[in-house]
Amino acid sequence: MIYNINFGIGWASSGVEYAQSYRAELLRKAGYPMKFVFLDFISAENIQTLTSNLGYHDDEIIWLYQYFTDTRIAPTTYTLEQVRQSLDGEVTHVERLGKTVRLHYGKGSFATCYLKHADQDYVDRVELVSKGKLIRKDYYSYTLLYSEYYYPKEERATLVSRVFYNEDGSVAYTEYVNGDDAIFKINGLVLNGKMAFVDYFMQSLQTTREDIVIIDRATHLGQALFRHVKPAKLGVVIHAEHFSENATTAETILWNNHYEYQFKHAHLVDFFITATDIQADILRKQFEQYEQISPAIYTIPVGSLKELTKSKHRKPYAVMTASRLASEKHIDWLIRAVVLAKQHVPELTFDIYGEGGERARLTQLVRELNASDYITFKGHVHLQKVYRDYTLFLTGSTSEGFGLTLMEAVGSGLAMIGLDVNYGNPTFIDQGKNGYLIPYADVKEQNEHLIQAYVQAIIQYFEGDTKAFHKHSYHIASAFKSTVIQQKWIDLIEEVQHD
């Protein structure tokens, strides 16, 4: 069994969850049994809704808080009528608004039911109020999963405990809550705190020499995760920049706090995984220099391409970018560069895909530059069949651990222009062959210089052989095809299992 350890999952999942989803698809096709473990407490809705949204199979999921019950990970099918029948009193009045239904019953009591969908009577959770006080919340899938109990403290409902149930309604275990502290009473044991709970979970897995445990996140819980891994093989995935360059000298290095425990205990780790060769080389040299060790480090990209997307007709001067509209993506630099480049390339258009907090500011900038007729915000769109309509991809990001959009762009043959920063851009941009890397120094006074560099690169691209650039992007992308990445996983698994 391959266990993949993470914290949480949501609708706005991070690159870690998407990386795990890609991994799941490749390992599934290769026939490896696997579990994806989520350690965070998730209360907004049934975890199955979130995991299935990213393509996970129900039998692949372990949720820490459900693990010690006999309930299965399954879709929400508990009905409004079942809730109604469970209430301690006859329902006298019903209020319904969208996905919320309020059932009034007894004397001054009501149950607010939160539906999974407005047009279906399947209930995710219910809040029970008596005499104006919240007393309990119940959470469902196909059965009652757990209940939260509250008492009034300083005119506010305060959580005091959670009771987790088996399928037949019997109590599996109880969590007693005191602010940020928790005590778990389970199987006759008293576990003091989340660390002890995770420690007990890892011990309960009873891993064997045939198992592999891959840790994607471990902040604050590294000790509990490491303690009971053996005899399984242990791997750690590096998803971001792993050290602070500004705080690193020839004698000391400041590791990213998300990876510090793993690095300091690297002698217990059987292998590390980075998404790019560049990061693997840097990490390998740093381990030798600062820790005097040489652990096994593999490069396996966090994403892959099922196929290369060919284009029958690209809009000749169509440029695009795709990312969160966040300040660190520097979309404003790209907008200004396109406006200036259009003076030399009159046919130029620029489409911006994505959403984020910078949308209003960037929209205003486009208006101020009188560029609304050729710079367009496209919003959040599924991009798989969009890239092929364009000829050039711009990125202004100053930091990319990998860059899934970069991979997808070269997979559709786009030329690329971006900053010469680790790790994504130099992985997908081959200088002068499929795009241009712009030298970067983190100095605000250089912003205008950078914008001018983008302008010159855009002009240079359109004055050159654009088809040759597209061809080379496809060449780069071929190394990221799903069959290639799947084989990397197979090779790693076979090597560590027979080590």
Side-chain angles (χ1 to χ4, degrees), residues 114-172:
Y114 295 89
L115 307 181
K116 184 175 181 178
H117 302 291
D119 58 347
Q120 295 179 331
D121 284 353
Y122 295 138
V123 180
D124 269 328
R125 74 181 191 277
V126 176
E127 297 178 355
L128 298 163
V129 174
S130 179
K131 298 179 182 179
K133 306 293 185 183
L134 175 65
I135 57 173
R136 194 174 84 234
K137 294 182 182 180
D138 292 333
Y139 296 80
Y140 300 91
S141 60
Y142 63 95
T143 186
L144 177 60
L145 295 175
Y146 64 95
S147 297
E148 293 182 332
Y149 289 87
Y150 293 80
Y151 82 99
K153 180 180 180 182
E154 298 176 356
E155 301 301 316
R156 297 183 62 182
T158 302
L159 175 66
V160 292
S161 66
R162 295 187 181 104
V163 177
F164 296 82
Y165 303 103
N166 293 312
E167 274 191 346
D168 63 3
S170 61
V171 174

Side-chain angles (χ1 to χ4, degrees), residues 169-421:
S170 61
V171 174
Y173 72 96
T174 302
E175 176 189 8
Y176 298 95
V177 181
N178 182 14
D180 294 331
D181 298 325
I183 294 175
F184 299 86
K185 189 174 181 181
I186 180 170
N187 295 332
L189 298 173
V190 176
L191 306 175
N192 191 2
K194 179 71 173 279
M195 180 80 80
F197 190 39
V198 173
D199 191 290
Y200 180 64
F201 164 73
M202 292 299 296
Q203 189 175 5
S204 300
L205 286 181
Q206 295 184 327
T207 57
T208 71
R209 293 180 60 85
E210 302 302 314
D211 296 327
I212 297 175
V213 176
I214 298 175
I215 295 178
D216 289 279
R217 285 193 176 104
T219 313
H220 306 308
L221 293 174
Q223 185 176 354
L225 293 172
F226 273 46
R227 186 177 291 129
H228 298 291
V229 164
K230 299 300 180 182
K233 300 295 185 180
L234 174 61
V236 171
V237 184
I238 313 302
H239 288 283
E241 178 60 90
H242 62 273
F243 75 110
S244 173
E245 187 170 1
N246 293 335
T248 296
T249 68
E251 292 76 31
T252 60
I253 186 168
L254 180 62
W255 298 119
N256 181 329
N257 67 305
H258 293 295
Y259 304 114
E260 184 174 15
Y261 185 90
Q262 296 93 303
F263 290 166
K264 290 297 183 182
H265 295 82
H267 60 286
L268 301 175
V269 178
D270 294 288
F271 61 93
F272 290 90
I273 300 175
T274 64
T276 67
D277 286 331
I278 298 170
Q279 190 169 23
D281 291 341
I282 292 173
L283 183 60
R284 190 173 289 111
K285 293 173 182 175
Q286 289 171 337
F287 271 135
E288 293 173 356
Q289 180 175 353
Y290 300 105
E291 306 292 342
Q292 291 77 54
I293 57 174
S294 299
I297 303 175
Y298 294 80
T299 297
I300 303 183
V302 295
S304 64
L305 300 164
K306 292 181 180 179
E307 58 185 5
L308 304 185
T309 304
K310 302 296 183 177
S311 178
K312 294 181 180 179
H313 176 70
R314 297 184 192 276
K315 302 171 189 174
Y317 294 93
V319 183
M320 68 169 288
T321 191
S323 69
R324 286 181 298 107
L325 303 186
S327 58
E328 65 269 20
K329 301 299 183 180
H330 301 290
I331 308 298
D332 55 334
W333 293 354
L334 306 182
I335 290 172
R336 293 181 184 278
V338 167
V339 169
L340 293 172
K342 192 173 176 67
Q343 297 174 16
H344 302 271
V345 187
E347 303 93 337
L348 202 62
T349 63
F350 184 38
D351 289 343
I352 300 169
Y353 290 88
E355 292 289 356
E358 289 281 288
R359 173 70 180 259
R361 187 180 73 85
L362 294 172
T363 302
Q364 180 60 29
L365 175 62
V366 171
R367 290 197 194 101
E368 291 173 358
L369 295 173
N370 297 315
S372 299
D373 58 337
Y374 61 91
I375 297 181
T376 307
F377 291 90
K378 295 290 191 177
H380 187 71
V381 176
H382 186 60
L383 294 168
Q384 185 176 358
K385 295 182 179 180
V386 169
Y387 295 103
R388 64 186 181 187
D389 295 333
Y390 295 84
T391 181
L392 176 63
F393 187 98
L394 301 181
T395 171
S397 177
T398 55
S399 177
E400 287 289 354
F402 179 71
L404 288 171
T405 56
L406 308 183
M407 177 192 72
E408 292 167 353
V410 297
S412 290
L414 273 70
M416 306 190 73
I417 298 174
L419 300 172
D420 190 6
V421 293

